[in-house]
Coordinates of all heavy atoms in Angstrom, one line a residue:
I1 N 78.6 74.7 71.6 CA 79.0 75.3 70.4 C 77.9 75.2 69.4 O 77.2 74.1 69.4 CB 80.2 74.8 69.9 CG1 81.3 74.9 70.9 CG2 80.6 75.3 68.5 CD1 82.7 74.3 70.6
G2 N 77.6 76.2 68.7 CA 76.4 76.2 67.7 C 75.1 76.3 68.3 O 74.2 76.2 67.6
S3 N 75.0 76.6 69.6 CA 73.9 76.9 70.3 C 73.2 78.3 70.0 O 74.2 79.3 70.1 CB 73.9 76.5 71.7 OG 72.7 76.8 72.4
A4 N 72.0 78.4 70.0 CA 71.4 79.8 69.8 C 71.2 80.5 71.3 O 70.7 81.6 71.3 CB 70.3 79.8 69.0
R5 N 71.5 79.8 72.3 CA 71.2 80.3 73.7 C 72.2 81.3 74.0 O 73.4 81.3 73.7 CB 71.3 79.2 74.7 CG 70.2 78.1 74.5 CD 70.2 76.9 75.3 NE 70.9 77.1 76.6 CZ 71.3 76.2 77.4 NH1 71.4 75.0 76.9 NH2 71.9 76.5 78.6
T6 N 71.8 82.3 74.6 CA 72.6 83.4 75.2 C 73.3 83.0 76.5 O 72.8 82.2 77.2 CB 71.8 84.7 75.4 OG1 70.8 84.5 76.5 CG2 71.0 85.1 74.2
A7 N 74.2 83.8 76.8 CA 74.9 83.6 78.1 C 73.9 83.6 79.2 O 74.1 82.8 80.1 CB 76.2 84.5 78.3
Q8 N 72.9 84.6 79.3 CA 72.1 84.8 80.4 C 71.2 83.6 80.4 O 70.9 83.0 81.5 CB 71.3 86.0 80.1 CG 70.4 86.3 81.2 CD 71.0 86.6 82.5 OE1 72.2 87.1 82.7 NE2 70.4 86.1 83.7
Q9 N 70.9 83.0 79.4 CA 70.0 81.8 79.3 C 70.7 80.6 79.9 O 70.1 79.8 80.6 CB 69.5 81.5 77.9 CG 68.4 82.5 77.4 CD 68.2 82.3 75.8 OE1 69.1 82.0 75.0 NE2 66.9 82.4 75.6
V10 N 71.8 80.4 79.6 CA 72.7 79.4 80.1 C 72.8 79.5 81.6 O 72.7 78.5 82.4 CB 74.2 79.3 79.5 CG1 75.0 78.2 80.2 CG2 74.0 78.9 77.9
I11 N 73.2 80.8 82.1 CA 73.3 81.0 83.5 C 72.0 80.6 84.2 O 72.0 80.0 85.3 CB 73.6 82.5 83.8 CG1 75.1 82.7 83.5 CG2 73.5 82.9 85.2 CD1 75.5 84.2 83.2
E12 N 70.8 81.2 83.6 CA 69.5 80.9 84.3 C 69.3 79.4 84.4 O 69.0 78.8 85.4 CB 68.4 81.6 83.5 CG 68.5 83.1 83.9 CD 67.5 83.9 82.8 OE1 66.7 83.3 82.2 OE2 67.6 85.1 83.0
D13 N 69.6 78.7 83.2 CA 69.3 77.3 83.2 C 70.2 76.3 84.2 O 69.7 75.5 84.9 CB 69.7 76.7 81.8 CG 68.7 77.2 80.7 OD1 67.6 77.7 81.2 OD2 69.0 77.0 79.5
M14 N 71.4 77.0 84.5 CA 72.3 76.3 85.4 C 71.9 76.7 86.8 O 72.5 76.1 87.8 CB 73.7 76.8 85.1 CG 74.3 76.0 83.9 SD 75.8 76.5 83.4 CE 76.9 75.7 84.7
G15 N 71.1 77.7 87.0 CA 70.8 78.2 88.4 C 71.9 78.8 89.2 O 71.9 78.7 90.4
V16 N 72.9 79.5 88.4 CA 74.1 80.1 89.0 C 74.1 81.6 89.0 O 75.0 82.2 89.5 CB 75.3 79.6 88.5 CG1 75.4 78.0 88.9 CG2 75.5 79.7 87.1
G17 N 73.0 82.2 88.7 CA 72.9 83.7 88.5 C 72.7 84.3 89.9 O 72.3 83.7 90.9
M18 N 73.1 85.6 90.0 CA 72.9 86.4 91.2 C 71.4 86.9 91.4 O 70.9 87.4 90.3 CB 73.8 87.4 91.3 CG 73.7 88.3 92.4 SD 74.8 89.7 92.6 CE 76.4 88.9 92.7
V19 N 70.9 86.7 92.5 CA 69.5 87.3 92.8 C 69.7 88.8 93.0 O 70.2 89.1 94.0 CB 68.8 86.5 93.9 CG1 67.4 87.2 94.1 CG2 68.6 85.2 93.5
S20 N 69.0 89.6 92.2 CA 69.1 91.1 92.5 C 67.7 91.6 92.5 O 67.5 92.7 92.7 CB 69.8 91.8 91.3 OG 71.1 91.4 91.3
D21 N 66.8 90.7 92.5 CA 65.3 91.1 92.6 C 65.0 91.6 94.0 O 65.3 91.0 95.0 CB 64.4 89.9 92.3 CG 62.9 90.3 92.6 OD1 62.4 91.1 91.8 OD2 62.4 89.7 93.5
E22 N 64.6 92.9 94.0 CA 64.5 93.6 95.2 C 63.5 92.9 96.2 O 63.6 92.8 97.4 CB 64.0 95.0 95.0 CG 63.8 96.0 96.3 CD 65.1 96.4 96.7 OE1 66.2 96.4 96.1 OE2 65.1 96.8 97.9
G23 N 62.4 92.4 95.7 CA 61.3 91.8 96.4 C 61.8 90.5 97.1 O 61.6 90.3 98.2
T24 N 62.6 89.7 96.3 CA 63.2 88.6 96.7 C 64.1 88.8 97.9 O 64.1 88.1 99.0 CB 63.9 87.6 95.7 OG1 62.8 87.5 94.6 CG2 64.4 86.3 96.2
I25 N 65.0 89.7 97.8 CA 66.0 89.9 98.8 C 65.4 90.5 100.0 O 65.7 90.3 101.1 CB 67.0 90.8 98.2 CG1 67.9 90.2 97.1 CG2 68.1 91.3 99.4 CD1 68.8 91.0 96.4
R26 N 64.3 91.5 99.8 CA 63.8 92.1 100.9 C 63.0 91.1 101.8 O 63.0 91.1 103.0 CB 62.8 93.1 100.4 CG 62.2 94.0 101.5 CD 61.4 95.1 101.0 NE 62.2 96.1 100.2 CZ 62.8 97.2 100.8 NH1 62.8 97.4 102.1 NH2 63.6 98.0 100.1
K27 N 62.3 90.2 101.2 CA 61.7 89.1 101.9 C 62.6 88.2 102.8 O 62.3 87.9 103.8 CB 60.9 88.3 100.9 CG 60.2 86.9 101.5 CD 58.8 87.3 102.0 CE 58.1 86.0 102.4 NZ 58.3 85.4 103.7
A28 N 63.7 87.8 102.1 CA 64.7 87.0 102.8 C 65.3 87.8 104.1 O 65.5 87.3 105.1 CB 65.8 86.6 101.9
V29 N 65.5 89.1 103.9 CA 66.0 90.0 104.9 C 65.0 90.0 106.0 O 65.3 89.7 107.3 CB 66.5 91.4 104.4 CG1 66.6 92.3 105.7 CG2 67.7 91.2 103.7
E30 N 63.7 90.3 105.7 CA 62.7 90.4 106.7 C 62.5 89.1 107.4 O 62.3 89.0 108.6 CB 61.4 90.8 106.1 CG 61.5 92.3 105.6 CD 60.2 92.6 104.6 OE1 59.5 91.9 104.3 OE2 60.2 93.9 104.4
D31 N 62.5 87.9 106.7 CA 62.3 86.7 107.3 C 63.5 86.3 108.3 O 63.4 85.8 109.4 CB 62.4 85.5 106.2 CG 61.0 85.5 105.4 OD1 60.2 86.3 105.9 OD2 61.1 84.8 104.4
A32 N 64.8 86.7 108.0 CA 65.9 86.5 108.8 C 65.8 87.3 110.0 O 66.1 87.0 111.2 CB 67.3 86.8 108.1
L33 N 65.5 88.6 109.9 CA 65.3 89.5 111.1 C 64.1 89.0 112.0 O 64.3 89.1 113.3 CB 65.0 90.9 110.6 CG 66.0 91.6 109.8 CD1 65.6 93.1 109.4 CD2 67.4 91.7 110.5
A34 N 63.1 88.6 111.4 CA 61.9 88.0 112.3 C 62.2 86.7 113.0 O 61.9 86.5 114.0 CB 60.8 87.8 111.3
A35 N 63.1 85.9 112.4 CA 63.6 84.7 112.9 C 64.6 84.8 114.0 O 64.9 83.9 114.8 CB 64.1 83.7 111.8
H36 N 65.2 86.0 114.1 CA 66.4 86.0 114.9 C 66.3 87.4 115.7 O 67.3 88.2 115.7 CB 67.7 85.9 114.3 CG 67.8 84.7 113.5 ND1 68.1 83.4 114.1 CD2 67.7 84.3 112.2 CE1 68.2 82.4 113.3 NE2 67.8 83.0 112.1
P37 N 65.2 87.6 116.5 CA 65.1 89.0 117.2 C 66.2 89.3 118.1 O 66.7 90.4 118.4 CB 63.8 88.9 117.9 CG 63.5 87.3 118.0 CD 64.1 86.7 116.7
N38 N 66.8 88.2 118.7 CA 67.9 88.5 119.7 C 69.2 89.0 118.9 O 69.9 89.6 119.5 CB 68.2 87.2 120.5 CG 67.0 86.9 121.4 OD1 66.2 87.6 121.7 ND2 67.0 85.6 121.9
V39 N 69.4 88.4 117.9 CA 70.5 88.8 117.0 C 70.4 90.3 116.6 O 71.3 91.0 116.5 CB 70.7 87.9 115.8 CG1 71.9 88.4 114.9 CG2 70.9 86.4 116.2
V40 N 69.1 90.6 116.2 CA 68.8 92.0 115.9 C 69.2 92.9 117.0 O 69.6 94.0 116.9 CB 67.4 92.2 115.4 CG1 67.0 93.6 115.2 CG2 67.1 91.4 114.1
Q41 N 68.7 92.6 118.1 CA 69.0 93.4 119.4 C 70.6 93.4 119.6 O 71.1 94.5 120.0 CB 68.5 92.7 120.7 CG 67.0 93.2 120.8 CD 66.8 94.6 120.8 OE1 66.2 95.1 119.8 NE2 67.3 95.4 121.7
D42 N 71.3 92.4 119.4 CA 72.7 92.3 119.5 C 73.3 93.3 118.5 O 74.2 94.2 118.9 CB 73.3 90.9 119.2 CG 73.1 89.9 120.4 OD1 72.6 90.5 121.5 OD2 73.3 88.8 120.3
L43 N 72.8 93.2 117.2 CA 73.3 94.2 116.2 C 73.0 95.6 116.7 O 73.9 96.5 116.5 CB 72.6 94.0 114.9 CG 73.0 94.8 113.7 CD1 74.5 94.8 113.5 CD2 72.2 94.5 112.4
R44 N 71.9 96.0 117.1 CA 71.6 97.3 117.7 C 72.4 97.8 118.8 O 72.7 99.0 119.0 CB 70.1 97.5 117.9 CG 69.2 97.4 116.7 CD 67.8 97.6 117.0 NE 66.9 97.7 115.8 CZ 65.8 97.3 115.7 NH1 65.2 96.6 116.7 NH2 65.1 97.4 114.5
S45 N 72.9 96.7 119.5 CA 73.8 97.1 120.7 C 75.2 97.2 120.1 O 76.1 97.4 121.1 CB 73.8 95.9 121.7 OG 72.4 95.9 122.2
G46 N 75.5 97.1 118.9 CA 76.8 97.3 118.4 C 77.7 96.1 118.1 O 78.9 96.2 117.8
K47 N 77.1 94.9 118.3 CA 78.0 93.6 118.1 C 78.0 93.4 116.6 O 77.0 93.2 115.9 CB 77.3 92.5 118.8 CG 77.2 92.7 120.3 CD 76.7 91.5 121.0 CE 76.7 91.8 122.6 NZ 76.2 90.6 123.3
K48 N 79.3 93.4 116.1 CA 79.6 93.3 114.6 C 79.3 91.9 114.1 O 78.8 91.7 113.0 CB 80.9 93.7 114.3 CG 81.4 95.1 114.8 CD 80.6 96.1 113.9 CE 81.2 97.5 114.2 NZ 80.3 98.5 114.0
N49 N 79.5 90.9 115.0 CA 79.2 89.6 114.6 C 77.7 89.1 114.2 O 77.4 88.5 113.4 CB 79.6 88.5 115.6 CG 81.3 88.5 115.8 OD1 82.0 88.8 114.7 ND2 81.7 88.0 116.8
A50 N 76.8 90.0 114.8 CA 75.5 90.0 114.7 C 75.1 90.2 113.1 O 74.3 89.5 112.6 CB 74.6 90.7 115.6
F51 N 75.7 91.3 112.6 CA 75.5 91.6 111.3 C 75.9 90.6 110.4 O 75.2 90.3 109.4 CB 76.3 92.9 111.0 CG 76.1 93.5 109.6 CD1 74.9 94.2 109.2 CD2 77.1 93.3 108.6 CE1 74.8 94.7 108.0 CE2 76.9 93.7 107.3 CZ 75.8 94.4 107.0
N52 N 77.2 90.0 110.5 CA 77.6 89.0 109.6 C 76.7 87.7 109.7 O 76.5 87.1 108.8 CB 78.9 88.6 110.1 CG 80.0 89.7 109.8 OD1 79.8 90.6 108.9 ND2 81.0 89.8 110.6
F53 N 76.2 87.4 110.9 CA 75.3 86.3 111.1 C 74.1 86.5 110.2 O 73.5 85.6 109.5 CB 74.9 86.2 112.5 CG 73.9 85.0 112.7 CD1 74.3 83.7 112.7 CD2 72.6 85.4 112.9 CE1 73.3 82.7 112.9 CE2 71.6 84.4 113.1 CZ 72.0 83.1 113.1
L54 N 73.4 87.7 110.3 CA 72.2 87.9 109.5 C 72.4 88.0 108.0 O 71.6 87.4 107.3 CB 71.7 89.4 110.0 CG 71.0 89.3 111.4 CD1 70.8 90.8 111.8 CD2 69.9 88.4 111.5
V55 N 73.6 88.5 107.6 CA 73.9 88.3 106.1 C 74.0 86.9 105.7 O 73.5 86.6 104.8 CB 75.2 89.2 105.8 CG1 75.7 88.9 104.4 CG2 75.0 90.6 106.0
G56 N 74.8 86.1 106.6 CA 74.9 84.8 106.2 C 73.4 84.0 106.1 O 73.3 83.2 105.4
Q57 N 72.6 84.4 107.1 CA 71.1 83.8 107.0 C 70.5 84.1 105.8 O 69.8 83.2 105.2 CB 70.4 84.3 108.3 CG 70.9 83.7 109.5 CD 71.0 82.2 109.6 OE1 69.9 81.5 109.5 NE2 72.2 81.8 109.7
V58 N 70.6 85.3 105.3 CA 69.9 85.7 104.1 C 70.6 84.9 102.9 O 70.0 84.5 102.1 CB 70.0 87.3 103.9 CG1 69.5 87.6 102.4 CG2 69.2 88.0 105.0
M59 N 71.9 84.9 102.9 CA 72.7 84.2 101.8 C 72.3 82.8 101.7 O 72.1 82.2 100.7 CB 74.2 84.4 102.0 CG 74.6 85.8 101.8 SD 74.1 86.7 100.3 CE 75.1 85.9 99.1
R60 N 72.2 82.2 103.0 CA 71.7 80.8 103.1 C 70.3 80.6 102.5 O 70.0 79.7 101.6 CB 71.8 80.3 104.4 CG 71.3 78.8 104.7 CD 70.8 78.5 106.0 NE 71.8 77.9 106.7 CZ 71.8 77.6 108.0 NH1 70.6 77.9 108.7 NH2 72.8 77.0 108.6
A61 N 69.4 81.5 102.9 CA 68.1 81.4 102.4 C 67.9 81.5 100.8 O 67.0 81.0 100.2 CB 67.1 82.5 103.1
T62 N 68.9 82.3 100.2 CA 68.9 82.5 98.9 C 69.8 81.5 98.1 O 70.2 81.8 96.9 CB 69.1 84.0 98.5 OG1 70.5 84.4 99.0 CG2 68.0 84.9 99.1
K63 N 70.3 80.6 98.8 CA 71.3 79.7 98.3 C 72.5 80.4 97.7 O 73.2 80.1 96.7 CB 70.7 78.8 97.3 CG 69.5 78.0 97.8 CD 69.0 77.1 96.7 CE 67.8 76.2 97.2 NZ 67.3 76.2 98.4
G64 N 72.9 81.5 98.4 CA 74.2 82.3 98.0 C 74.0 83.0 96.8 O 75.0 83.6 96.4
K65 N 72.8 83.3 96.3 CA 72.7 84.0 95.1 C 72.2 85.4 95.2 O 72.2 86.2 94.2 CB 71.6 83.3 94.3 CG 72.0 81.9 93.8 CD 70.9 81.2 93.0 CE 71.3 79.7 92.7 NZ 70.1 79.2 92.0
A66 N 72.0 85.8 96.5 CA 71.5 87.2 96.8 C 72.6 88.2 96.5 O 73.9 87.8 96.8 CB 71.0 87.5 98.1
N67 N 72.5 89.4 96.0 CA 73.5 90.4 96.0 C 73.8 90.8 97.3 O 73.1 91.4 98.0 CB 72.9 91.7 95.1 CG 74.0 92.7 94.9 OD1 74.8 93.0 95.8 ND2 73.8 93.3 93.7
P68 N 75.1 90.4 97.6 CA 75.5 90.8 99.1 C 75.5 92.1 99.5 O 75.2 92.5 100.7 CB 76.9 90.0 99.1 CG 77.4 89.8 97.8 CD 76.1 89.9 97.0
N69 N 75.8 93.1 98.5 CA 75.8 94.5 98.9 C 74.4 94.9 99.2 O 74.2 95.7 100.2 CB 76.4 95.2 97.6 CG 77.8 95.1 97.5 OD1 78.5 94.8 98.4 ND2 78.3 95.0 96.3
R70 N 73.3 94.4 98.3 CA 72.0 94.8 98.6 C 71.5 94.3 100.0 O 70.8 95.0 100.6 CB 71.2 94.5 97.4 CG 69.8 95.1 97.5 CD 69.7 96.6 97.5 NE 68.4 97.1 97.8 CZ 68.1 98.1 98.6 NH1 69.1 98.8 99.3 NH2 66.9 98.5 98.7
V71 N 72.0 93.0 100.3 CA 71.5 92.4 101.5 C 72.0 93.2 102.6 O 71.3 93.5 103.6 CB 72.1 90.9 101.6 CG1 72.0 90.4 103.0 CG2 71.5 90.1 100.6
A72 N 73.3 93.6 102.5 CA 74.0 94.5 103.7 C 73.2 95.8 103.9 O 72.8 96.1 104.9 CB 75.4 94.6 103.5
E73 N 72.8 96.4 102.7 CA 72.2 97.6 102.8 C 70.7 97.6 103.4 O 70.3 98.3 104.2 CB 71.9 98.4 101.3 CG 73.2 98.7 100.8 CD 73.0 99.0 99.3 OE1 71.9 98.8 98.7 OE2 74.0 99.5 98.6
L74 N 70.0 96.4 103.0 CA 68.7 96.3 103.6 C 68.7 96.0 105.1 O 67.9 96.4 105.9 CB 68.0 95.1 102.8 CG 67.4 95.5 101.4 CD1 66.9 94.4 100.7 CD2 66.4 96.6 101.6
I75 N 69.7 95.2 105.5 CA 69.8 94.8 106.9 C 70.0 96.1 107.6 O 69.5 96.3 108.7 CB 70.9 93.7 107.2 CG1 70.4 92.5 106.6 CG2 71.2 93.6 108.7 CD1 71.4 91.4 106.8
Q76 N 71.0 97.0 107.2 CA 71.3 98.2 107.8 C 70.1 99.1 108.0 O 69.7 99.6 108.8 CB 72.4 98.9 107.3 CG 73.7 98.2 107.3 CD 74.8 98.9 106.6 OE1 74.6 99.5 105.5 NE2 76.0 98.5 107.0
E77 N 69.3 99.2 106.9 CA 68.1 100.0 106.7 C 67.0 99.5 107.8 O 66.4 100.2 108.5 CB 67.6 100.0 105.3 CG 66.3 100.6 105.1 CD 65.8 100.3 103.7 OE1 66.6 100.6 102.7 OE2 64.6 99.9 103.5
K78 N 66.8 98.2 107.8 CA 65.8 97.6 108.7 C 66.0 97.6 110.1 O 65.2 97.8 110.9 CB 65.5 96.0 108.2 CG 64.9 96.0 106.8 CD 63.6 96.4 106.8 CE 62.8 96.1 105.5 NZ 61.5 96.6 105.5
T79 N 67.3 97.6 110.4 CA 67.8 97.6 111.9 C 67.8 98.9 112.3 O 68.0 99.2 113.6 CB 68.9 96.7 112.1 OG1 70.1 97.2 111.4 CG2 68.7 95.3 111.9
R80 N 68.0 99.9 111.5 CA 67.9 101.3 112.0 C 66.4 101.8 112.3 O 66.5 102.7 113.0 CB 68.5 102.2 110.9 CG 69.9 102.5 111.0 CD 70.4 103.6 110.1 NE 71.1 102.8 109.1 CZ 71.1 103.0 107.7 NH1 70.2 103.9 107.3 NH2 71.6 102.3 106.8
D81 N 65.4 101.1 111.8 CA 64.0 101.3 112.2 C 63.8 101.2 113.6 O 64.6 100.5 114.3 CB 63.1 100.6 111.3 CG 63.2 100.9 109.9 OD1 63.8 101.9 109.5 OD2 63.0 100.0 109.0
S82 N 62.8 101.6 114.2 CA 62.3 101.5 115.4 C 62.1 100.0 115.8 O 61.7 99.2 114.8 CB 61.0 102.2 115.8 OG 59.9 101.7 115.0
P83 N 62.3 99.5 116.9 CA 62.3 98.1 117.2 C 60.9 97.5 117.0 O 59.9 97.9 117.0 CB 62.7 97.9 118.7 CG 63.2 99.1 119.1 CD 62.8 100.2 118.0

């Protein structure tokens, strides 16, 4: 009370904000895909659990702060590309 800090500053100071930075999320997705090529193959074969596993790996890498919708979009985009 009586602080001149904004709500955004408080969130940043506490480290509890959501990561929406495209570069950060894209790097985490690329790292997860590179680290788990067998899971990527499973996903391309239609195994739904593989998708959830990869989303979980990205969320773990970003300490749960990545925008999960963007993570899902990037995984889908990257796994549709050629192997």
Side-chain angles (χ1 to χ4, degrees):
I1 300 179
S3 175
R5 294 171 37 197
T6 66
Q8 184 62 37
Q9 288 170 324
V10 172
I11 289 169
E12 289 172 6
D13 291 346
M14 293 177 68
V16 295
M18 182 181 291
V19 174
S20 293
D21 176 61
E22 183 74 17
T24 301
I25 296 172
R26 187 173 294 274
K27 171 88 170 86
V29 166
E30 290 170 356
D31 289 349
L33 297 178
H36 303 285
N38 294 339
V39 178
V40 172
Q41 278 306 112
D42 288 346
L43 178 58
R44 288 181 173 148
S45 297
K47 295 183 180 176
K48 303 289 186 212
N49 288 339
F51 179 79
N52 294 333
F53 175 81
L54 291 170
V55 170
Q57 293 303 299
V58 174
M59 296 307 288
R60 176 199 268 174
T62 61
K63 298 181 181 7
K65 295 180 184 177
N67 180 324
N69 293 329
R70 189 63 186 136
V71 170
E73 290 169 1
L74 286 171
I75 289 173
Q76 290 172 342
E77 175 185 307
K78 293 288 185 180
T79 56
R80 271 187 251 139
D81 296 342
S82 59

